[in-house]
């Protein structure tokens, strides 16, 4: 474990006990993020990205089994009392979601909601909180910020609402931003604007960010490092340039291939054939083997460990 990390996740496993069989959504994930660093957590839908993020704020249902350790800004997340945890949320760690509409309260104005967030964490007067809310709306470049603070969530477009959500997430000067597919629901042009905004704010405030996405292009755009998640396990991790120029895991190659076909002007996104495994019935060995063009019997025998292969880390027998 690196001691200079802002976020350190070590061997995290998360198992839900809802259905007939336990479902292990996250399976031995280790990840660290340095101060001021942006790490993309990249994977298909259902790979365990949101579950990993929610673990950092302990937002799982009560009967969820969580193993491993998580430290954020030196605090042991698993050991925090619920009081300490609610102090941490917002003030140290903030989260931005795919659907801001679900995270906001429809019956209060945006200004009111941001003020409440500030007052909950800091001893400021209502008018001081209102002044900060205005500054935040200016910071995230919402036009006519005074007027917009009086709006209710339904009066804003998706892009503007995501800006408001980002303003709220920064309200108490967090050190860590967890961004869970914050641009996925937006139009392509708005998506780029929001990505640029997050990058700009991240630099200005020196935030440590985990940016969750299913889009390798978005991951390459925003992050310093990429961790590729497949069926609850990290299969490859490294600096953006290394992952993009020299992907090693067949799954990462597949994700990049899909992207290249798209950039090549084809009208169809070529995806990796097959589907991710059922997490309640995981295959023996490498979880990607059933879809892997290079799979051999060796792959089905045991789960490959994440090992260092030159510039990145990869979990594949080819590099073991
Ligand atoms: P994604 O990578 O798309 O964000 P998630 O992390 O949301 O995927 O989900 C990973 C798996 O965990 C999925 O199979 C999902 O259905 C399951 N899951 C997530 N939350 C719960 C829960 N509270 N109870 C049971 N299963 C869950
Ligand atoms: Mg998700």
């Amino acid at each position: 474990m690196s001691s200079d990390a802002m976020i350190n996740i070590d061997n995290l496993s998360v198992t839900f006990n809802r259905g007939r069989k336990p479902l292990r959504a996250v399976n031995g994930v280790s990840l660290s993020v340095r101060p001021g660093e942006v790490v993309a957590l990249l994977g298909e839908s259902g790979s365990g990205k949101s579950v990993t993020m929610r673990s950092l704020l302990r937002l799982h249902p009560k009967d969820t089994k969580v193993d491993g350790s998580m430290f954020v800004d030196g605090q042991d997340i698993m050991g925090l009392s619920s009081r300490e945890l609610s102090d941490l949320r917002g003030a140290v760690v903030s989260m931005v979601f795919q659907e801001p509409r679900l995270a906001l309260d429809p019956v209060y104005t945006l200004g009111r909601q941001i003020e409440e967030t500030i007052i909950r964490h800091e001893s400021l007067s209502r008018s001081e909180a209102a002044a900060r809310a205005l500054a935040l709306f200016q910071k995230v470049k919402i036009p006519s910020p005074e007027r917009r603070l009086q709006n209710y969530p339904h009066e804003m477009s998706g892009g503007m609402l995501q800006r408001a959500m980002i303003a709220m997430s920064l309200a108490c000067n967090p050190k860590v931003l967890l961004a869970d597919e914050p641009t996925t629901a937006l139009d392509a042009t708005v998506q780029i604007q929001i990505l640029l905004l997050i990058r700009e704010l991240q630099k200005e405030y020196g935030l440590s960010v985990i940016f969750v996405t299913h889009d390798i292009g978005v991951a390459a755009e925003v992050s310093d490092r990429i961790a590729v998640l497949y069926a609850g396990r990290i299969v490859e991790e490294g600096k953006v340039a290394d992952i993009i120029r020299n992907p090693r895991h067949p799954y990462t190659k597949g994700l990049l291939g899909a992207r290249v076909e798209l950039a090549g002007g084809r009208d169809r996104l070529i995806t990796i054939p097959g589907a991710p495994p059922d997490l309640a019935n995981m295959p023996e060995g490498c979880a990607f083997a059933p879809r892997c063009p290079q799979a051999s019997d060796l792959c089905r025998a045991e789960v490959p460990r994440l090992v260092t292969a030159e510039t990145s880390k990869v979990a594949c027998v080819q590099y073991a």
Side-chain angles (χ1 to χ4, degrees):
M1 163 175 164
S2 49
S3 56
D4 62 346
M6 177 58 73
I7 304 173
N8 201 92
I9 302 174
D10 190 31
N11 204 15
L12 174 70
S13 290
V14 181
T15 309
F16 297 109
N17 294 297
R18 286 285 170 84
R20 276 185 294 132
K21 280 183 83 176
L23 184 151
R24 182 169 283 194
V26 174
N27 202 337
V29 162
S30 298
L31 186 68
S32 68
V33 184
R34 287 188 293 274
E37 189 183 32
V38 182
V39 175
L41 193 57
L42 171 69
E44 281 168 294
S45 175
S47 55
K49 305 182 297 296
S50 296
V51 171
T52 304
M53 292 301 93
R54 286 204 295 272
S55 301
L56 283 166
L57 290 175
R58 289 203 351 227
L59 293 172
H60 296 307
K62 273 209 166 56
D63 56 353
T64 309
K65 190 168 183 296
V66 181
D67 294 303
S69 75
M70 292 171 287
F71 282 81
V72 177
D73 194 24
Q75 299 196 62
D76 178 358
I77 301 298
M78 302 284 273
L80 296 182
S81 67
S82 44
R83 177 62 202 270
E84 290 165 330
L85 204 54
S86 62
D87 286 346
L88 183 92
R89 290 179 191 151
V92 179
V93 184
S94 261
M95 200 148 163
V96 179
F97 302 92
Q98 180 173 337
E99 265 303 333
R101 252 171 253 281
L102 300 179
L104 291 162
D105 194 324
V107 304
Y108 293 105
T109 64
L110 294 164
R112 175 76 189 222
Q113 292 184 58
I114 296 181
E115 290 162 24
E116 292 296 336
T117 304
I118 296 167
I119 291 167
R120 196 181 315 138
H121 287 286
E122 295 176 38
S123 49
L124 290 185
S125 68
R126 171 73 55 186
S127 64
E128 287 168 322
R132 191 188 293 176
L134 178 60
L136 286 161
F137 260 38
Q138 288 163 339
K139 196 96 223 166
V140 300
K141 304 186 184 100
I142 292 179
S144 319
E146 291 92 346
R147 188 168 58 80
R148 284 305 196 174
L149 283 165
Q150 305 307 316
N151 278 174
Y152 292 89
H154 75 268
E155 297 176 301
M156 302 270 267
S157 69
M160 279 303 145
L161 210 54
Q162 196 57 289
R163 284 178 193 268
M165 195 67 228
I166 292 166
M168 190 182 304
S169 75
L170 298 176
C172 298
N173 302 310
K175 295 180 176 174
V176 170
L177 186 68
L178 306 177
D180 192 350
E181 308 221 34
T183 63
T184 300
L186 304 172
D187 296 341
T189 48
V190 181
Q191 175 166 341
I192 304 282
Q193 292 163 6
I194 299 288
L195 288 182
L196 292 174
L197 176 68
I198 290 176
R199 204 42 170 143
E200 193 181 313
L201 295 169
Q202 181 272 329
K203 285 214 180 84
E204 182 171 343
Y205 294 108
L207 294 166
S208 299
V209 178
I210 300 183
F211 192 103
V212 165
T213 179
H214 65 271
D215 184 330
I216 197 165
V218 167
E221 194 71 50
V222 297
S223 64
D224 302 309
R225 219 148 36 87
I226 297 182
V228 183
L229 199 60
Y230 189 79
R233 297 186 185 117
I234 290 180
V235 295
E236 183 158 7
E237 193 233 284
K239 290 197 183 116
V240 170
D242 293 327
I243 299 282
I244 301 297
R245 279 193 219 123
N246 194 4
R248 289 186 168 81
H249 198 284
Y251 178 59
T252 317
K253 289 180 185 170
L255 290 176
L256 267 167
R259 190 75 198 176
V260 168
E261 292 292 342
L262 193 65
R266 310 281 178 89
D267 55 0
R268 196 161 61 93
L269 180 65
I270 315 292
T271 49
I272 304 163
D278 174 0
L279 296 171
N281 289 294
M282 286 281 276
E284 296 278 313
C286 174
F288 187 60
R291 298 169 83 183
C292 183
Q294 290 150 26
S296 67
D297 288 345
L298 208 55
C299 305
R300 296 175 195 101
E302 65 179 302
V303 178
R305 286 189 318 119
L306 194 65
V307 297
T308 302
E310 292 176 53
T311 46
S312 45
K313 288 183 190 163
V314 59
C316 174
V317 285
Q318 294 176 66
Y319 304 92

